[in-house]
Amino acid sequence: MASADVKAQDPRIAGISSAIRVIPDFPKPGIMFQDITTLLLDTKAFRDTIDLFVERYKDKNISVVAGIEARGFIFGPPIALAIGAKFVPMRKPKKLPGEVISEEYSLEYGKDVMEMHVGAVQAGERALIVDDLVATGGTLSAAIRLLERVGVHVVECACVIELPELKVCLKIQKVIWCPNYIYIYICTLLFVMVLSII
């Protein structure tokens, strides 16, 4: 694994990182909950977070920003507006009123389903998937599969926080970008890049 520290390159990273509150043993013992609500209260850190993503994606010809429920709905729309892309919500079952396409995925203790409106994206479009946190990569993997099933090219996945102790690379063969430092893994001959805050 190769790594390169980006903290020294961008002074905004420290402010973003310090604005995220860590709550131990929530929602259950042993979990270190990464609370982004404190980031949202800090207008400079929130703007810096969006700006870092916009700077990365503004020239990548992305036409779709797909936000994963629910916190992807916080970060996705301002990124989409700034880069001139449409925002597509990827939701839990039975939350979208129209005809949907679904993708089932595994959780630690069971399964879940992600849905998107039929016709929200078109074959050949270039997409960015946005969520607040990447842990095991199961949700991002489902989002990638869902978009690729309808012919969309997923350019990257963008997350504010990555939990480096979990094995994301085992599930995702796409680039993941979180603004802090870079990890490059070789996974089934593809690179997965993670720049993370935590």
Side-chain angles (χ1 to χ4, degrees):
M1 176 172 71
S3 71
D5 194 347
V6 178
K7 285 184 181 181
Q9 296 177 14
D10 198 315
R12 297 173 289 185
I13 299 299
I16 295 167
S17 185
S18 66
I20 298 170
R21 175 173 54 180
V22 178
I23 301 175
D25 300 319
F26 182 84
K28 60 183 183 179
I31 302 292
M32 298 296 285
F33 186 78
Q34 308 295 315
D35 181 17
I36 61 152
T37 62
T38 50
L39 171 66
L40 302 176
L41 295 172
D42 182 331
T43 56
K44 180 176 180 351
F46 186 27
R47 177 179 301 279
D48 286 346
T49 302
I50 300 303
D51 287 349
L52 282 168
F53 287 122
V54 169
E55 289 163 16
R56 179 167 180 87
Y57 297 113
K58 65 183 177 184
D59 297 322
K60 292 193 183 275
N61 198 28
I62 291 168
S63 56
V64 175
V65 174
I68 297 176
E69 186 170 348
R71 294 180 196 101
F73 295 1
I74 295 170
F75 298 101
I79 295 168
L81 285 172
I83 66 172
K86 62 184 172 184
F87 178 76
V88 175
M90 304 191 85
R91 303 221 50 196
K92 296 180 188 300
K94 303 189 186 324
K95 300 282 187 175
L96 294 170
E99 183 182 356
V100 298
I101 181 172
S102 303
E103 183 69 33
E104 186 176 271
Y105 60 101
S106 296
L107 300 169
E108 189 175 353
Y109 299 106
K111 295 194 178 291
D112 207 345
V113 175
M114 179 180 300
E115 295 182 340
M116 169 180 71
H117 272 132
V118 170
V121 295
Q122 305 301 317
E125 287 193 285
R126 293 170 52 84
L128 169 67
I129 299 172
V130 177
D131 204 356
D132 70 321
L133 180 140
V134 57
T136 64
T139 308
L140 287 175
S141 292
I144 291 166
R145 289 192 307 271
L146 187 55
L147 288 165
E148 288 182 343
R149 273 180 37 211
V150 294
V152 172
H153 171 67
V154 177
V155 176
E156 286 187 4
C157 300
C159 299
V160 178
I161 302 165
E162 188 246 355
L163 302 179
E165 65 274 10
L166 300 175
K167 305 291 186 220
V168 176
C169 114
L170 299 178
K171 292 188 177 179
I172 300 176
Q173 286 94 36
K174 288 288 175 187
V175 175
I176 305 171
W177 194 79
C178 305
N180 193 335
Y181 41 98
I182 302 170
Y183 293 94
I184 300 176
Y185 304 91
I186 299 177
C187 296
T188 62
L189 305 178
L190 295 169
F191 290 99
V192 178
M193 181 174 64
V194 179
L195 286 82
S196 67
I197 282 181
I198 301 302

